[in-house]
Each structure stands twice: as structure tokens, then as C-alpha cells.
Amino acid sequence: MNTFEEKLNHLEKLTADIKRSDISLEDALKDFEEGIKLAAGMEKELDQIEGKIQILMNEPHPMAKDNPPEMELFNDERELNGTRK
């Protein structure tokens, strides 16, 4: 899973699986543990993105001709998603 959206879809699938009436307790616990780890990682990812947004928003004149955005702020995200350019 590379993108945040893929992780979210997987988390939704795990949630739906846990709610099934025919799931064993062991499988439900396994899915729950995986979901907790996945959600924690996604929360960390969102915190990093929020920090980057705050940095961009606190620049004196964002997007001015003499103050272009610092794209290296997003390098970590691209590397995580395997879309580094």
C-alpha cells in the first residue's frame, strides 16, 4: 500500500471484516491489531502533512513570484508513495 487512499481503503476493509458475523475471534483480533497499526501510521502521516501545510501557510507571501514554494518539503511524501520525481 503506497498511497494514503489505499491505506484508508484497506482500513475500511478491515473494519468491515471485523463486523462480519462469521469471522472467528482470532481473525477479528488479527484484523483489529492490523487496523490499529495502520491507523497509527496514517495519523502520523497526517500530522506530517499538517506540519508542512502550516509551514507553507506561515510564509510571509506564499506563492509570490519572489517566494516560490519549497517543494523539497514534499520529498518525504513522494518517497513514501514511490512517486519521487
Side-chain angles (χ1 to χ4, degrees):
M1 286 176 289
N2 292 328
T3 68
F4 189 85
E5 290 78 13
E6 289 172 337
K7 293 174 189 173
L8 184 59
N9 286 335
H10 187 62
L11 186 58
E12 289 172 347
K13 181 187 178 306
L14 290 170
T15 302
D17 286 347
I18 290 171
K19 293 178 181 179
R20 287 187 358 237
S21 61
D22 63 337
I23 191 169
S24 70
L25 182 58
E26 293 80 15
D27 287 341
L29 180 59
K30 185 184 93 183
D31 287 351
F32 181 76
E33 288 176 312
E34 184 180 351
I36 291 294
K37 290 176 186 175
L38 184 58
M42 292 169 69
E43 184 176 14
K44 184 178 177 184
E45 208 174 318
L46 284 174
D47 288 343
Q48 291 172 343
I49 292 168
E50 182 180 7
K52 290 174 185 179
I53 290 170
Q54 289 299 323
I55 290 169
L56 291 172
M57 295 302 294
N58 289 325
E59 289 185 7
H61 301 286
M63 303 300 288
K65 287 183 183 180
D66 60 338
N67 189 26
E70 297 181 32
M71 296 310 290
E72 66 270 5
L73 291 172
F74 296 97
N75 286 344
D76 292 339
E77 181 66 24
R78 288 185 185 136
E79 289 171 5
L80 287 174
N81 291 332
T83 59
R84 187 168 185 198
K85 294 177 183 175

